[in-house]
Amino acid sequence: MKLRAIMLTLLLGTANVFAQAPESAPALSTKQWEPLLQALADENWVKAADSAGKYLKEVRQDDNEHSLAKLRYMFMFASAAKVAEGKMTYEELQSALNDFVGKEVMTPHTSLVSTCRSFNSICVKAEGNELSLVSSNAAGTYIYMFQYATLETKTDYSNLDQKSGAMRGTIAGIQFNPNKSTIWIMRVFLAKATLALGG
C-alpha cells in the first residue's frame, strides 16, 4: 500500500509536467491528463491504455512531440500490463506497437539510483553512457518492461541518488518474451537518449 501511495503521488505530481507543451501548440490540458494518470496510479490498465491510445490518435505530431513521447510510453506500459493480466495477447501487443520503433518515448519522472537493484527507478551509472529502468506493477509481481537506453552524449552523473529524472529516447527495438509468460513482457531499447533531471 505504501508503494501504491508513492506511485499515486508521483504520477499525480507530474500531471502539470505532462501537461506542459510549447506555448505555440499546447496538446492536452491538465484536465485531460489527470484521468489518465489516475488510471495508471489505480492500475486500471484497460482504461489507461484506451485513454493513451485515444489521445495518440487525436494529437498531431506537429502539435507536440513532447506529449506524444509521454503518451507512447504510457500506452506501452499499460498495454504490457494488460498482457500480464491476460487482458491482451502477445500478438495483439506486438500489433499495437508495430509502428512505435523509430519514435520517441519519455518516462515519467522517477527516482534515480546508482545501483540497479530496484524496480521503477532509473539506474544511472556515473561512468558510461547507459541508463536502465525496470517497470513493474506496484506490488512488484510482474515486470512489464525492461528498458535499456544509450545516452546521446556521455555525461558524468555522479552523486545522483535521491534525485529524480525522466528518460527520453528513440525506440531502436522491442523484444517480446519468447516464452509468452507473464513474469516479464518485453524489452525496449532506446537510442539517442537523454536524461532530464528534476520534475
Side-chain angles (χ1 to χ4, degrees), residues 33-107:
W33 279 113
E34 285 180 346
L36 172 53
L37 297 174
Q38 186 65 57
L40 289 166
D42 292 340
E43 300 194 349
N44 185 338
W45 307 126
V46 173
K47 181 177 180 181
D50 287 351
S51 296
K54 175 178 179 288
Y55 289 143
L56 280 171
K57 293 176 182 177
E58 294 177 354
V59 178
R60 295 182 320 210
Q61 185 166 352
D62 58 353
D63 279 345
N64 195 337
E65 179 58 30
H66 191 67
S67 291
L68 285 170
K70 297 178 188 322
L71 285 169
R72 288 188 199 106
Y73 185 86
M74 293 175 179
F75 181 77
M76 290 175 61
F77 180 85
S79 296
K82 285 174 62 178
V83 174
E85 290 189 348
K87 296 176 180 177
M88 187 178 200
T89 67
Y90 268 97
E91 290 74 20
E92 289 170 334
L93 177 64
Q94 187 168 356
S95 177
L97 301 183
N98 264 343
D99 67 345
F100 274 42
V101 175
K103 295 181 179 177
E104 281 193 317
V105 292
M106 184 172 182
T107 71

Side-chain angles (χ1 to χ4, degrees), residues 10-32:
L10 174 64
L11 287 167
L12 293 180
T14 59
N16 288 330
V17 176
F18 278 127
Q20 288 175 359
E23 292 182 6
S24 59
L28 298 176
S29 67
T30 300
K31 186 176 180 180
Q32 289 172 298

Side-chain angles (χ1 to χ4, degrees), residues 73 76 97 100-105 107 130-133 144-151 167-178 184-193:
Y73 185 86
M76 290 175 61
L97 301 183
F100 274 42
V101 175
K103 295 181 179 177
E104 281 193 317
V105 292
T107 71
E130 295 181 350
L131 308 173
S132 62
L133 172 62
Y144 301 140
M145 298 189 291
F146 290 100
Q147 296 131 93
Y148 308 96
T150 302
L151 288 167
M167 190 167 67
R168 181 172 181 171
T170 301
I171 298 177
I174 302 173
Q175 294 179 355
F176 301 95
N177 186 335
W184 65 273
I185 306 302
M186 61 186 179
R187 301 181 190 276
V188 180
F189 300 88
L190 303 180
K192 299 179 180 178

